[in-house]
Amino acid sequence: MLPEHLARIRARLEAMREEIVREGDARVRVEREEAVAGSADEDQAPHEEMDQAIASSRNRTRAATLARIDAALRRLDADPDAFGTCADCDDEIPARRLELMPFARLCVDCQAKRDPARGGARKHVLDFKG
Ligand SMILES: [Zn+2]
């Protein structure tokens, strides 16, 4: 991969990281406190119960994405030459995929094989809706 391409991916990873950290406040790091949280403001509690459930699942997603971004940045530092190749089949991960998901470790095919529920099949189901 070209150095300027790597630099662009690094910039993108860092921007994504910053955005997640900013959006999630400190909550991403204090995920363990989630179990005890939820008794904040009594007046707001009823209609925010759902929001909290959604927010906490979002926080988990954010924390997971953050971990993947950090791992990608580490890979980028440790072995820039290998960055952007699929961890399973060693093929190059297409630039477009890396642009959307700079932390991707697998090409689309291998990702679909490992994680069929999130692969193409489900998308088709959703497409047929309505
Ligand atoms: Zn692959």
Side-chain angles (χ1 to χ4, degrees):
M1 195 180 287
L2 296 168
E4 54 260 41
H5 197 173
L6 283 175
R8 212 166 67 211
I9 286 174
R10 176 190 294 278
R12 191 151 165 70
L13 281 166
E14 280 167 357
M16 283 174 110
R17 189 179 198 292
E18 205 176 293
E19 200 182 314
I20 289 172
V21 170
R22 205 183 326 127
E23 257 183 38
D25 300 324
R27 294 212 56 191
V28 170
R29 256 162 282 164
V30 290
E31 214 189 343
R32 261 173 295 162
E33 280 178 31
E34 256 175 40
V36 235
S39 55
D41 197 325
E42 249 177 80
D43 289 339
Q44 301 202 330
H47 67 92
E48 277 191 0
E49 218 163 272
M50 184 63 96
D51 286 349
Q52 287 215 340
I54 293 168
S56 99
S57 117
R58 249 193 233 136
N59 278 342
R60 270 195 294 278
T61 308
R62 265 205 295 257
T65 306
L66 198 58
R68 294 180 73 186
I69 289 171
D70 282 344
L73 283 167
R74 277 198 298 273
R75 290 202 307 279
L76 203 54
D77 283 333
D79 197 356
D81 288 341
F83 195 89
T85 55
C86 174
D88 274 4
C89 72
D90 251 6
D91 271 1
E92 250 182 57
I93 299 173
R96 282 206 57 184
R97 175 164 167 81
L98 279 178
E99 229 148 84
L100 290 170
M101 295 207 310
F103 44 77
R105 296 195 63 190
L106 302 170
C107 68
V108 181
D109 286 348
C110 293
Q111 181 74 59
K113 265 181 240 161
R114 277 202 192 187
D115 195 5
R118 280 167 63 190
R122 190 164 165 203
K123 224 197 230 158
H124 289 303
V125 171
L126 289 173
D127 285 346
F128 283 119
K129 198 175 126 192

